[in-house]
Structure formats: structure tokens, C-alpha cells
Amino acid sequence: WWTWIAFGIFLLALVAAACGVLGWRSVERAAVWTSPESVTADAAAHYPQGVSANLLRARRAAQVGDVDGCVAALRAAMRRGYNRFEQIDVDPAFDAIREQPQFRAVVSEIAAGWIVRGRAREHPTQQELQTIAYAHFVRGERSEAIAVLRRALALGGPRDALIRADLEVMGSSPE
């Protein structure tokens, strides 16, 4: 039975060492979660071809006026599943190239994905419809955007006031 006691002590020491290592690693990794920027930087460092890395490349390229580099990075992010056209459309990092046709085209392409997915939903929510309307608006499809916003308003819900405001911005009566 001394063998079992020795084995138990060994297992206890092994578990204690594992807890120490994992605890140390947790404290070390906790620093990553202090800001959205540090999470993004960590993701980019661990996945250099991932969405976060490509978005960082796109922002950097945009800030120095490299339209082609920015568009290539956004397309790479899109291939990895990135679909937040509305974030790109308002992110000040893209201000230097915002009106460039190649940049507008990639934002429009990403927005088109929302429209396709939205049409496939049987019962979209008001928020989903509002995003689809914004996708149409970004693509220059004003009448389609207004029609989708009116559909969202007819659905009724907590976003009614926001949808009415969107309709007014587009120069359309909410009713």
C-alpha cells in the first residue's frame, strides 16, 4: 500500500504543478482582454491570415492612402467571413480612401452579402431589416432601402423610432 501512497503523492504534486502553470498562464493571458485593440492585436498575432490581421492591414493601408492594399486586405477578410460593411463605412481609419471607387466597390460587395442572406431569412427581425436597408443604401439602392425600412416599420418593435429617423434621413416619409 506504500506504493499507492507514493503514487497518490506523485499525482497530487503533478496536479499542483499543473494548477500553478495554468494559473500563471491565465494571469499572463488576462492582459489580452484589457481592450478591444489588444484582443485584435492578439488575434492578428496568432492568426496572421485571419480576419483581425487582414482588418489591421486594411486600416494601415488606408491610413497611408494605399487603396489597392486596403482593398486586397478587405477582400481577404471577406473570404474569411468578415461581413461588417457598416463598420468599415464609418471607421475613420478609412477616411483617406473612402471615396475611391475600388474602396466603395469592396464595401458594396460586402454589403451585397447582407442583402443575399437577408432575403434568405424567413422572418427577419427589425434590426436585421434595418441592416439590410443600410446595405442597400451603401450600394446606392435608395428605393430598395426605403422599401426594406418600411417593411421593418410595419413589423413593429423597439426600433420604430430609429427606423423612422432613417427614413427621414433618406428623404422619405415614415408612413
Side-chain angles (χ1 to χ4, degrees), residues 101-135:
Q102 308 95 303
F103 178 77
R104 296 304 321 154
V106 77
V107 172
S108 179
E109 189 177 330
I110 296 169
W114 266 94
I115 295 167
V116 169
R117 282 186 299 283
R119 286 185 183 144
R121 296 187 72 79
E122 192 172 331
H123 301 290
T125 66
Q126 267 194 324
Q127 185 169 0
E128 289 167 334
L129 288 170
Q130 195 174 17
T131 302
I132 293 164
Y134 187 51

Side-chain angles (χ1 to χ4, degrees), residues 5-65:
I5 292 175
F7 183 69
I9 292 170
F10 170 75
L11 281 179
L12 188 59
L14 187 63
V15 167
C19 285
V21 168
L22 292 174
W24 171 77
R25 183 75 174 135
S26 296
V27 169
E28 182 182 77
R29 294 292 297 158
V32 169
W33 299 97
T34 58
S35 72
E37 293 79 17
S38 61
V39 172
T40 301
D42 185 72
H46 285 89
Y47 304 99
Q49 299 307 313
V51 170
S52 294
N54 280 301
L55 290 176
L56 285 174
R57 277 192 281 282
R59 283 186 182 99
R60 288 182 191 126
Q63 289 170 334
V64 297

Side-chain angles (χ1 to χ4, degrees), residues 147-159:
V148 174
L149 285 173
R150 286 194 176 137
R151 180 177 166 203
L153 196 57
L155 185 62
R159 301 184 72 83

